[in-house]
Amino acid sequence: RKWMESGKDIHIRDAVCYFGHFSLDVRSKLDEGVIEANVKFFGDRKPDCVELRLPHPEKLQACYAEGGRYEEKHESVIIDDFTGEATILLKF
């Protein structure tokens, strides 16, 4: 949860998984009440669905999610019908 404190960023560049190379950027702007994330897979192989866990440091639940379906129980966003790149916006 400390990774999601306001002003903190997470950057993963050119990581490799079963589906190939991907990048992930997460930016916490909780002073504005939001967490933003961008995930991108490179190449032809990509998952059909992506789940990103984005927990609020104070265990608050998002009141709005854009770019995916918010799963309250796991504090995550599920991106169905993933096209290879997605931007997520959570509002608290």
Side-chain angles (χ1 to χ4, degrees), residues 7-88:
K8 293 191 176 182
D9 297 340
I10 298 170
H11 302 288
I12 300 172
R13 299 274 188 258
D14 202 29
V16 180
C17 71
Y18 174 80
F19 296 101
H21 294 263
F22 73 96
S23 292
L24 173 67
D25 292 296
V26 180
R27 170 169 276 136
S28 177
K29 297 194 246 180
L30 289 175
D31 53 333
E32 299 173 28
V34 300
I35 293 176
E36 300 173 340
N38 183 276
V39 61
K40 182 176 183 177
F41 278 78
F42 304 95
D44 295 333
R45 283 182 78 173
K46 56 187 159 286
D48 294 329
C49 178
V50 172
E51 183 172 354
L52 296 175
R53 186 166 185 271
L54 301 168
H56 190 285
E58 297 173 13
K59 300 182 181 183
L60 298 179
Q61 299 296 316
C63 61
Y64 174 81
E66 184 176 302
R69 176 172 43 93
Y70 185 67
E71 183 67 41
E72 185 175 313
K73 181 179 178 182
H74 298 111
E75 300 175 296
S76 62
V77 175
I78 299 170
I79 307 160
D80 296 307
D81 300 321
F82 184 64
T83 63
E85 184 172 10
T87 299
I88 304 299

